[in-house]
Amino acid sequence: MTPEAKVKKQVRQILTELDMYYVMPATGGYGNSGAPDFICCLKGLFIGVECKAKGNKPTALQLKNLSDIKKSGGFSIVIDETNIDILRLELLEWLDMKQVN
């Protein structure tokens, strides 16, 4: 299993534990290039999660998609082995903040 696949497996476990709806879109010929690895929804809020192996950076197109999600009022984050442990906390804090507003 590649390092990125291990990150995706951990992200999938966290999203499942949070009872979050998610899909992993195909980005090949018929998909949207640059879309995050996970497109998620919880309590009506839109979330994009891009997974990387340690040291790898998102492409310019991936960064644009993540930025567009934030501009549209959603939450987006890049996760790798160094910050996987904060994903649950970041998601819950963002959801709490959005529920208050």
Side-chain angles (χ1 to χ4, degrees), residues 14-52:
I14 291 168
L15 300 178
T16 300
E17 288 170 12
L18 293 174
D19 200 27
M20 188 176 294
Y21 169 82
Y22 69 88
V23 294
M24 297 178 72
T27 58
Y30 295 104
N32 288 340
S33 294
D37 293 311
F38 292 88
I39 304 285
C40 317
C41 185
L42 183 62
K43 298 182 182 180
L45 300 173
F46 190 89
I47 300 158
V49 180
E50 179 62 36
C51 298
K52 293 292 178 189

